[in-house]
Amino acid sequence: LLSRRLADFSAPDILANETQNVFHFYMRLEKLYSMLGSSALIFGCRLAGAITVFATQLIMARAMGAHELGIYVLAFSWCLLFSTLAGLGFPAASLRFIGEHLGNNEHGLVKGFIHFARRSVILSSSVAAVIAVVFYNKTIKSTLQTFWI
């Protein structure tokens, strides 16, 4: 029985199967390297951004006094809060939906998603800006002194 199974396979068939397996392995490895390369680029950009923000804050802390830096940090924190809320979760959702639709060659859906996200974020950002200005004029403006930095 064993000799019959071995006789069914010729050497070229075995080599062709092994060559095909090795080819598929290298194709998967190449995909992995391209994904890791893209991930490394994204990680590098985020790291460079974090280092730049840290360096900027360090320079500003040295150039300003404690009171002026506190005002800057307060204003910057409010800006971060409003910008996060105004994004409506589209930055995270775009990673999933755009990748999925591009993978399925549904370019029209990608275009529609981008247009909808852009319009929604512009509208919500405008509303957030109006709310911030009204909130500032009603509450904070009367308690803060004017400082020129």
Side-chain angles (χ1 to χ4, degrees), residues 90-123:
F90 281 111
S94 64
L95 294 174
R96 177 177 180 244
F97 290 116
I98 291 176
E100 179 182 339
H101 293 309
L102 283 179
N104 295 333
N105 286 329
E106 297 169 332
H107 299 288
L109 290 176
V110 171
K111 188 176 178 181
F113 177 80
I114 290 172
H115 286 300
F116 177 74
R118 184 181 299 143
R119 280 183 270 150
S120 300
V121 169
I122 288 172
L123 179 66

PDB file of all heavy atoms in Angstrom, residues 90-123:
ATOM      1  N   PHE A  90     -15.126  59.951  13.482  1.00  0.00           N
ATOM      2  CA  PHE A  90     -14.770  59.619  12.099  1.00  0.00           C
ATOM      3  C   PHE A  90     -13.302  59.232  11.911  1.00  0.00           C
ATOM      4  O   PHE A  90     -13.006  58.389  11.061  1.00  0.00           O
ATOM      5  CB  PHE A  90     -15.130  60.770  11.156  1.00  0.00           C
ATOM      6  CG  PHE A  90     -16.589  60.809  10.806  1.00  0.00           C
ATOM      7  CD1 PHE A  90     -17.401  61.821  11.265  1.00  0.00           C
ATOM      8  CD2 PHE A  90     -17.154  59.819  10.024  1.00  0.00           C
ATOM      9  CE1 PHE A  90     -18.744  61.854  10.957  1.00  0.00           C
ATOM     10  CE2 PHE A  90     -18.495  59.836   9.716  1.00  0.00           C
ATOM     11  CZ  PHE A  90     -19.294  60.856  10.176  1.00  0.00           C
ATOM     12  N   PRO A  91     -12.349  59.818  12.642  1.00  0.00           N
ATOM     13  CA  PRO A  91     -10.959  59.378  12.449  1.00  0.00           C
ATOM     14  C   PRO A  91     -10.768  57.888  12.700  1.00  0.00           C
ATOM     15  O   PRO A  91     -10.072  57.214  11.946  1.00  0.00           O
ATOM     16  CB  PRO A  91     -10.173  60.226  13.455  1.00  0.00           C
ATOM     17  CG  PRO A  91     -10.979  61.465  13.600  1.00  0.00           C
ATOM     18  CD  PRO A  91     -12.417  61.003  13.514  1.00  0.00           C
ATOM     19  N   ALA A  92     -11.397  57.353  13.732  1.00  0.00           N
ATOM     20  CA  ALA A  92     -11.267  55.918  14.013  1.00  0.00           C
ATOM     21  C   ALA A  92     -12.107  55.088  13.046  1.00  0.00           C
ATOM     22  O   ALA A  92     -11.673  54.024  12.584  1.00  0.00           O
ATOM     23  CB  ALA A  92     -11.682  55.636  15.451  1.00  0.00           C
ATOM     24  N   ALA A  93     -13.300  55.565  12.729  1.00  0.00           N
ATOM     25  CA  ALA A  93     -14.184  54.804  11.839  1.00  0.00           C
ATOM     26  C   ALA A  93     -13.634  54.751  10.424  1.00  0.00           C
ATOM     27  O   ALA A  93     -13.848  53.770   9.704  1.00  0.00           O
ATOM     28  CB  ALA A  93     -15.578  55.433  11.825  1.00  0.00           C
ATOM     29  N   SER A  94     -12.926  55.792  10.019  1.00  0.00           N
ATOM     30  CA  SER A  94     -12.410  55.810   8.649  1.00  0.00           C
ATOM     31  C   SER A  94     -11.388  54.704   8.420  1.00  0.00           C
ATOM     32  O   SER A  94     -11.304  54.153   7.322  1.00  0.00           O
ATOM     33  CB  SER A  94     -11.794  57.172   8.320  1.00  0.00           C
ATOM     34  OG  SER A  94     -10.671  57.411   9.133  1.00  0.00           O
ATOM     35  N   LEU A  95     -10.628  54.359   9.444  1.00  0.00           N
ATOM     36  CA  LEU A  95      -9.660  53.269   9.288  1.00  0.00           C
ATOM     37  C   LEU A  95     -10.357  51.968   8.912  1.00  0.00           C
ATOM     38  O   LEU A  95      -9.893  51.222   8.055  1.00  0.00           O
ATOM     39  CB  LEU A  95      -8.862  53.077  10.578  1.00  0.00           C
ATOM     40  CG  LEU A  95      -7.950  54.220  10.987  1.00  0.00           C
ATOM     41  CD1 LEU A  95      -7.338  53.941  12.342  1.00  0.00           C
ATOM     42  CD2 LEU A  95      -6.871  54.424   9.953  1.00  0.00           C
ATOM     43  N   ARG A  96     -11.467  51.715   9.548  1.00  0.00           N
ATOM     44  CA  ARG A  96     -12.186  50.466   9.285  1.00  0.00           C
ATOM     45  C   ARG A  96     -12.920  50.511   7.956  1.00  0.00           C
ATOM     46  O   ARG A  96     -12.770  49.620   7.119  1.00  0.00           O
ATOM     47  CB  ARG A  96     -13.172  50.194  10.410  1.00  0.00           C
ATOM     48  CG  ARG A  96     -13.981  48.950  10.152  1.00  0.00           C
ATOM     49  CD  ARG A  96     -14.905  48.628  11.311  1.00  0.00           C
ATOM     50  NE  ARG A  96     -15.650  47.445  10.998  1.00  0.00           N
ATOM     51  CZ  ARG A  96     -16.963  47.425  10.849  1.00  0.00           C
ATOM     52  NH1 ARG A  96     -17.661  48.516  10.993  1.00  0.00           N
ATOM     53  NH2 ARG A  96     -17.590  46.313  10.554  1.00  0.00           N
ATOM     54  N   PHE A  97     -13.746  51.540   7.762  1.00  0.00           N
ATOM     55  CA  PHE A  97     -14.626  51.573   6.595  1.00  0.00           C
ATOM     56  C   PHE A  97     -13.868  51.797   5.293  1.00  0.00           C
ATOM     57  O   PHE A  97     -14.155  51.140   4.288  1.00  0.00           O
ATOM     58  CB  PHE A  97     -15.711  52.630   6.771  1.00  0.00           C
ATOM     59  CG  PHE A  97     -16.713  52.265   7.812  1.00  0.00           C
ATOM     60  CD1 PHE A  97     -16.853  53.023   8.954  1.00  0.00           C
ATOM     61  CD2 PHE A  97     -17.497  51.130   7.675  1.00  0.00           C
ATOM     62  CE1 PHE A  97     -17.773  52.679   9.927  1.00  0.00           C
ATOM     63  CE2 PHE A  97     -18.418  50.776   8.639  1.00  0.00           C
ATOM     64  CZ  PHE A  97     -18.551  51.551   9.773  1.00  0.00           C
ATOM     65  N   ILE A  98     -12.908  52.686   5.287  1.00  0.00           N
ATOM     66  CA  ILE A  98     -12.168  52.940   4.047  1.00  0.00           C
ATOM     67  C   ILE A  98     -11.346  51.719   3.670  1.00  0.00           C
ATOM     68  O   ILE A  98     -11.314  51.309   2.512  1.00  0.00           O
ATOM     69  CB  ILE A  98     -11.304  54.206   4.176  1.00  0.00           C
ATOM     70  CG1 ILE A  98     -12.205  55.424   4.235  1.00  0.00           C
ATOM     71  CG2 ILE A  98     -10.328  54.321   3.023  1.00  0.00           C
ATOM     72  CD1 ILE A  98     -11.486  56.738   4.446  1.00  0.00           C
ATOM     73  N   GLY A  99     -10.693  51.100   4.662  1.00  0.00           N
ATOM     74  CA  GLY A  99      -9.920  49.896   4.370  1.00  0.00           C
ATOM     75  C   GLY A  99     -10.786  48.757   3.851  1.00  0.00           C
ATOM     76  O   GLY A  99     -10.428  48.068   2.893  1.00  0.00           O
ATOM     77  N   GLU A 100     -11.945  48.590   4.455  1.00  0.00           N
ATOM     78  CA  GLU A 100     -12.854  47.520   4.037  1.00  0.00           C
ATOM     79  C   GLU A 100     -13.362  47.753   2.607  1.00  0.00           C
ATOM     80  O   GLU A 100     -13.361  46.844   1.782  1.00  0.00           O
ATOM     81  CB  GLU A 100     -14.035  47.450   4.993  1.00  0.00           C
ATOM     82  CG  GLU A 100     -15.059  46.393   4.646  1.00  0.00           C
ATOM     83  CD  GLU A 100     -16.232  46.401   5.617  1.00  0.00           C
ATOM     84  OE1 GLU A 100     -16.080  46.915   6.743  1.00  0.00           O
ATOM     85  OE2 GLU A 100     -17.302  45.889   5.234  1.00  0.00           O
ATOM     86  N   HIS A 101     -13.790  48.982   2.315  1.00  0.00           N
ATOM     87  CA  HIS A 101     -14.355  49.260   0.992  1.00  0.00           C
ATOM     88  C   HIS A 101     -13.286  49.292  -0.095  1.00  0.00           C
ATOM     89  O   HIS A 101     -13.563  48.899  -1.236  1.00  0.00           O
ATOM     90  CB  HIS A 101     -15.141  50.565   1.018  1.00  0.00           C
ATOM     91  CG  HIS A 101     -16.377  50.485   1.865  1.00  0.00           C
ATOM     92  ND1 HIS A 101     -17.313  49.487   1.723  1.00  0.00           N
ATOM     93  CD2 HIS A 101     -16.826  51.261   2.875  1.00  0.00           C
ATOM     94  CE1 HIS A 101     -18.287  49.657   2.599  1.00  0.00           C
ATOM     95  NE2 HIS A 101     -18.002  50.730   3.319  1.00  0.00           N
ATOM     96  N   LEU A 102     -12.078  49.725   0.234  1.00  0.00           N
ATOM     97  CA  LEU A 102     -11.005  49.668  -0.755  1.00  0.00           C
ATOM     98  C   LEU A 102     -10.632  48.211  -1.046  1.00  0.00           C
ATOM     99  O   LEU A 102     -10.321  47.870  -2.184  1.00  0.00           O
ATOM    100  CB  LEU A 102      -9.779  50.444  -0.276  1.00  0.00           C
ATOM    101  CG  LEU A 102      -9.862  51.955  -0.375  1.00  0.00           C
ATOM    102  CD1 LEU A 102      -8.582  52.587   0.173  1.00  0.00           C
ATOM    103  CD2 LEU A 102     -10.100  52.406  -1.804  1.00  0.00           C
ATOM    104  N   GLY A 103     -10.665  47.382  -0.010  1.00  0.00           N
ATOM    105  CA  GLY A 103     -10.380  45.963  -0.202  1.00  0.00           C
ATOM    106  C   GLY A 103     -11.402  45.278  -1.089  1.00  0.00           C
ATOM    107  O   GLY A 103     -11.088  44.323  -1.799  1.00  0.00           O
ATOM    108  N   ASN A 104     -12.643  45.774  -1.072  1.00  0.00           N
ATOM    109  CA  ASN A 104     -13.703  45.205  -1.910  1.00  0.00           C
ATOM    110  C   ASN A 104     -13.881  45.955  -3.229  1.00  0.00           C
ATOM    111  O   ASN A 104     -14.859  45.711  -3.938  1.00  0.00           O
ATOM    112  CB  ASN A 104     -15.032  45.213  -1.141  1.00  0.00           C
ATOM    113  CG  ASN A 104     -15.007  44.320   0.070  1.00  0.00           C
ATOM    114  OD1 ASN A 104     -14.258  43.350   0.114  1.00  0.00           O
ATOM    115  ND2 ASN A 104     -15.788  44.643   1.071  1.00  0.00           N
ATOM    116  N   ASN A 105     -12.966  46.861  -3.534  1.00  0.00           N
ATOM    117  CA  ASN A 105     -13.018  47.687  -4.758  1.00  0.00           C
ATOM    118  C   ASN A 105     -14.330  48.465  -4.872  1.00  0.00           C
ATOM    119  O   ASN A 105     -14.901  48.599  -5.938  1.00  0.00           O
ATOM    120  CB  ASN A 105     -12.792  46.847  -6.015  1.00  0.00           C
ATOM    121  CG  ASN A 105     -11.348  46.436  -6.166  1.00  0.00           C
ATOM    122  OD1 ASN A 105     -10.445  47.161  -5.737  1.00  0.00           O
ATOM    123  ND2 ASN A 105     -11.126  45.280  -6.747  1.00  0.00           N
ATOM    124  N   GLU A 106     -14.796  48.985  -3.740  1.00  0.00           N
ATOM    125  CA  GLU A 106     -16.013  49.796  -3.723  1.00  0.00           C
ATOM    126  C   GLU A 106     -15.613  51.266  -3.558  1.00  0.00           C
ATOM    127  O   GLU A 106     -15.821  51.885  -2.519  1.00  0.00           O
ATOM    128  CB  GLU A 106     -16.918  49.341  -2.578  1.00  0.00           C
ATOM    129  CG  GLU A 106     -17.383  47.905  -2.737  1.00  0.00           C
ATOM    130  CD  GLU A 106     -18.044  47.367  -1.490  1.00  0.00           C
ATOM    131  OE1 GLU A 106     -17.717  47.825  -0.378  1.00  0.00           O
ATOM    132  OE2 GLU A 106     -18.892  46.470  -1.637  1.00  0.00           O
ATOM    133  N   HIS A 107     -15.038  51.823  -4.610  1.00  0.00           N
ATOM    134  CA  HIS A 107     -14.480  53.177  -4.548  1.00  0.00           C
ATOM    135  C   HIS A 107     -15.565  54.236  -4.393  1.00  0.00           C
ATOM    136  O   HIS A 107     -15.316  55.290  -3.802  1.00  0.00           O
ATOM    137  CB  HIS A 107     -13.623  53.447  -5.778  1.00  0.00           C
ATOM    138  CG  HIS A 107     -12.461  52.508  -5.886  1.00  0.00           C
ATOM    139  ND1 HIS A 107     -11.376  52.582  -5.048  1.00  0.00           N
ATOM    140  CD2 HIS A 107     -12.238  51.450  -6.702  1.00  0.00           C
ATOM    141  CE1 HIS A 107     -10.518  51.629  -5.353  1.00  0.00           C
ATOM    142  NE2 HIS A 107     -11.019  50.916  -6.356  1.00  0.00           N
ATOM    143  N   GLY A 108     -16.745  53.982  -4.905  1.00  0.00           N
ATOM    144  CA  GLY A 108     -17.847  54.928  -4.745  1.00  0.00           C
ATOM    145  C   GLY A 108     -18.248  55.084  -3.290  1.00  0.00           C
ATOM    146  O   GLY A 108     -18.553  56.193  -2.834  1.00  0.00           O
ATOM    147  N   LEU A 109     -18.253  53.971  -2.548  1.00  0.00           N
ATOM    148  CA  LEU A 109     -18.593  54.033  -1.130  1.00  0.00           C
ATOM    149  C   LEU A 109     -17.521  54.778  -0.337  1.00  0.00           C
ATOM    150  O   LEU A 109     -17.833  55.505   0.612  1.00  0.00           O
ATOM    151  CB  LEU A 109     -18.783  52.625  -0.569  1.00  0.00           C
ATOM    152  CG  LEU A 109     -20.022  51.879  -1.057  1.00  0.00           C
ATOM    153  CD1 LEU A 109     -20.049  50.463  -0.512  1.00  0.00           C
ATOM    154  CD2 LEU A 109     -21.282  52.622  -0.650  1.00  0.00           C
ATOM    155  N   VAL A 110     -16.261  54.606  -0.729  1.00  0.00           N
ATOM    156  CA  VAL A 110     -15.178  55.329  -0.067  1.00  0.00           C
ATOM    157  C   VAL A 110     -15.346  56.826  -0.285  1.00  0.00           C
ATOM    158  O   VAL A 110     -15.246  57.635   0.650  1.00  0.00           O
ATOM    159  CB  VAL A 110     -13.795  54.852  -0.578  1.00  0.00           C
ATOM    160  CG1 VAL A 110     -12.685  55.748  -0.057  1.00  0.00           C
ATOM    161  CG2 VAL A 110     -13.550  53.418  -0.193  1.00  0.00           C
ATOM    162  N   LYS A 111     -15.627  57.201  -1.528  1.00  0.00           N
ATOM    163  CA  LYS A 111     -15.831  58.614  -1.853  1.00  0.00           C
ATOM    164  C   LYS A 111     -17.022  59.177  -1.083  1.00  0.00           C
ATOM    165  O   LYS A 111     -16.958  60.273  -0.530  1.00  0.00           O
ATOM    166  CB  LYS A 111     -16.045  58.768  -3.360  1.00  0.00           C
ATOM    167  CG  LYS A 111     -16.079  60.184  -3.835  1.00  0.00           C
ATOM    168  CD  LYS A 111     -16.198  60.221  -5.355  1.00  0.00           C
ATOM    169  CE  LYS A 111     -16.276  61.640  -5.850  1.00  0.00           C
ATOM    170  NZ  LYS A 111     -16.415  61.711  -7.305  1.00  0.00           N
ATOM    171  N   GLY A 112     -18.111  58.439  -1.012  1.00  0.00           N
ATOM    172  CA  GLY A 112     -19.282  58.872  -0.272  1.00  0.00           C
ATOM    173  C   GLY A 112     -19.005  59.009   1.216  1.00  0.00           C
ATOM    174  O   GLY A 112     -19.454  59.973   1.850  1.00  0.00           O
ATOM    175  N   PHE A 113     -18.268  58.064   1.781  1.00  0.00           N
ATOM    176  CA  PHE A 113     -17.915  58.133   3.201  1.00  0.00           C
ATOM    177  C   PHE A 113     -17.080  59.365   3.495  1.00  0.00           C
ATOM    178  O   PHE A 113     -17.322  60.076   4.480  1.00  0.00           O
ATOM    179  CB  PHE A 113     -17.161  56.864   3.623  1.00  0.00           C
ATOM    180  CG  PHE A 113     -16.703  56.892   5.057  1.00  0.00           C
ATOM    181  CD1 PHE A 113     -17.584  56.592   6.074  1.00  0.00           C
ATOM    182  CD2 PHE A 113     -15.403  57.226   5.375  1.00  0.00           C
ATOM    183  CE1 PHE A 113     -17.173  56.620   7.400  1.00  0.00           C
ATOM    184  CE2 PHE A 113     -14.983  57.259   6.693  1.00  0.00           C
ATOM    185  CZ  PHE A 113     -15.865  56.952   7.701  1.00  0.00           C
ATOM    186  N   ILE A 114     -16.109  59.637   2.633  1.00  0.00           N
ATOM    187  CA  ILE A 114     -15.237  60.797   2.849  1.00  0.00           C
ATOM    188  C   ILE A 114     -16.031  62.094   2.754  1.00  0.00           C
ATOM    189  O   ILE A 114     -15.871  62.999   3.580  1.00  0.00           O
ATOM    190  CB  ILE A 114     -14.058  60.776   1.860  1.00  0.00           C
ATOM    191  CG1 ILE A 114     -13.108  59.628   2.217  1.00  0.00           C
ATOM    192  CG2 ILE A 114     -13.318  62.108   1.866  1.00  0.00           C
ATOM    193  CD1 ILE A 114     -12.018  59.379   1.211  1.00  0.00           C
ATOM    194  N   HIS A 115     -16.915  62.201   1.763  1.00  0.00           N
ATOM    195  CA  HIS A 115     -17.721  63.416   1.624  1.00  0.00           C
ATOM    196  C   HIS A 115     -18.659  63.596   2.825  1.00  0.00           C
ATOM    197  O   HIS A 115     -18.794  64.704   3.350  1.00  0.00           O
ATOM    198  CB  HIS A 115     -18.529  63.400   0.323  1.00  0.00           C
ATOM    199  CG  HIS A 115     -17.696  63.637  -0.886  1.00  0.00           C
ATOM    200  ND1 HIS A 115     -16.964  64.784  -1.076  1.00  0.00           N
ATOM    201  CD2 HIS A 115     -17.475  62.875  -1.983  1.00  0.00           C
ATOM    202  CE1 HIS A 115     -16.328  64.720  -2.231  1.00  0.00           C
ATOM    203  NE2 HIS A 115     -16.610  63.562  -2.795  1.00  0.00           N
ATOM    204  N   PHE A 116     -19.300  62.517   3.260  1.00  0.00           N
ATOM    205  CA  PHE A 116     -20.204  62.601   4.414  1.00  0.00           C
ATOM    206  C   PHE A 116     -19.437  62.975   5.678  1.00  0.00           C
ATOM    207  O   PHE A 116     -19.893  63.827   6.464  1.00  0.00           O
ATOM    208  CB  PHE A 116     -20.943  61.278   4.613  1.00  0.00           C
ATOM    209  CG  PHE A 116     -21.824  61.266   5.820  1.00  0.00           C
ATOM    210  CD1 PHE A 116     -23.022  61.970   5.827  1.00  0.00           C
ATOM    211  CD2 PHE A 116     -21.449  60.569   6.954  1.00  0.00           C
ATOM    212  CE1 PHE A 116     -23.839  61.975   6.957  1.00  0.00           C
ATOM    213  CE2 PHE A 116     -22.257  60.568   8.083  1.00  0.00           C
ATOM    214  CZ  PHE A 116     -23.448  61.265   8.074  1.00  0.00           C
ATOM    215  N   ALA A 117     -18.280  62.353   5.880  1.00  0.00           N
ATOM    216  CA  ALA A 117     -17.477  62.646   7.070  1.00  0.00           C
ATOM    217  C   ALA A 117     -17.009  64.097   7.054  1.00  0.00           C
ATOM    218  O   ALA A 117     -17.062  64.779   8.091  1.00  0.00           O
ATOM    219  CB  ALA A 117     -16.284  61.701   7.137  1.00  0.00           C
ATOM    220  N   ARG A 118     -16.566  64.573   5.903  1.00  0.00           N
ATOM    221  CA  ARG A 118     -16.096  65.949   5.807  1.00  0.00           C
ATOM    222  C   ARG A 118     -17.213  66.936   6.147  1.00  0.00           C
ATOM    223  O   ARG A 118     -17.016  67.866   6.930  1.00  0.00           O
ATOM    224  CB  ARG A 118     -15.554  66.230   4.407  1.00  0.00           C
ATOM    225  CG  ARG A 118     -14.956  67.620   4.272  1.00  0.00           C
ATOM    226  CD  ARG A 118     -14.443  67.887   2.880  1.00  0.00           C
ATOM    227  NE  ARG A 118     -13.388  66.941   2.562  1.00  0.00           N
ATOM    228  CZ  ARG A 118     -13.221  66.402   1.354  1.00  0.00           C
ATOM    229  NH1 ARG A 118     -14.027  66.698   0.374  1.00  0.00           N
ATOM    230  NH2 ARG A 118     -12.232  65.567   1.132  1.00  0.00           N
ATOM    231  N   ARG A 119     -18.389  66.720   5.561  1.00  0.00           N
ATOM    232  CA  ARG A 119     -19.507  67.629   5.829  1.00  0.00           C
ATOM    233  C   ARG A 119     -19.931  67.575   7.294  1.00  0.00           C
ATOM    234  O   ARG A 119     -20.201  68.612   7.917  1.00  0.00           O
ATOM    235  CB  ARG A 119     -20.687  67.294   4.925  1.00  0.00           C
ATOM    236  CG  ARG A 119     -20.515  67.871   3.516  1.00  0.00           C
ATOM    237  CD  ARG A 119     -21.723  67.593   2.678  1.00  0.00           C
ATOM    238  NE  ARG A 119     -21.439  66.302   2.037  1.00  0.00           N
ATOM    239  CZ  ARG A 119     -22.350  65.414   1.692  1.00  0.00           C
ATOM    240  NH1 ARG A 119     -23.614  65.651   1.890  1.00  0.00           N
ATOM    241  NH2 ARG A 119     -22.007  64.291   1.131  1.00  0.00           N
ATOM    242  N   SER A 120     -19.985  66.389   7.854  1.00  0.00           N
ATOM    243  CA  SER A 120     -20.409  66.245   9.252  1.00  0.00           C
ATOM    244  C   SER A 120     -19.414  66.900  10.206  1.00  0.00           C
ATOM    245  O   SER A 120     -19.802  67.573  11.166  1.00  0.00           O
ATOM    246  CB  SER A 120     -20.550  64.770   9.616  1.00  0.00           C
ATOM    247  OG  SER A 120     -21.510  64.160   8.800  1.00  0.00           O
ATOM    248  N   VAL A 121     -18.127  66.715   9.940  1.00  0.00           N
ATOM    249  CA  VAL A 121     -17.107  67.289  10.822  1.00  0.00           C
ATOM    250  C   VAL A 121     -17.078  68.809  10.701  1.00  0.00           C
ATOM    251  O   VAL A 121     -16.920  69.507  11.708  1.00  0.00           O
ATOM    252  CB  VAL A 121     -15.727  66.651  10.537  1.00  0.00           C
ATOM    253  CG1 VAL A 121     -14.616  67.407  11.237  1.00  0.00           C
ATOM    254  CG2 VAL A 121     -15.726  65.194  10.972  1.00  0.00           C
ATOM    255  N   ILE A 122     -17.236  69.334   9.501  1.00  0.00           N
ATOM    256  CA  ILE A 122     -17.287  70.797   9.348  1.00  0.00           C
ATOM    257  C   ILE A 122     -18.474  71.366  10.110  1.00  0.00           C
ATOM    258  O   ILE A 122     -18.346  72.374  10.821  1.00  0.00           O
ATOM    259  CB  ILE A 122     -17.324  71.191   7.851  1.00  0.00           C
ATOM    260  CG1 ILE A 122     -15.963  70.940   7.215  1.00  0.00           C
ATOM    261  CG2 ILE A 122     -17.729  72.649   7.678  1.00  0.00           C
ATOM    262  CD1 ILE A 122     -15.944  71.114   5.714  1.00  0.00           C
ATOM    263  N   LEU A 123     -19.613  70.741  10.000  1.00  0.00           N
ATOM    264  CA  LEU A 123     -20.802  71.211  10.712  1.00  0.00           C
ATOM    265  C   LEU A 123     -20.618  71.118  12.230  1.00  0.00           C
ATOM    266  O   LEU A 123     -20.877  72.085  12.955  1.00  0.00           O
ATOM    267  CB  LEU A 123     -22.034  70.414  10.276  1.00  0.00           C
ATOM    268  CG  LEU A 123     -23.341  70.796  10.970  1.00  0.00           C
ATOM    269  CD1 LEU A 123     -23.748  72.210  10.569  1.00  0.00           C
ATOM    270  CD2 LEU A 123     -24.427  69.808  10.620  1.00  0.00           C
TER     271      LEU A 123
END
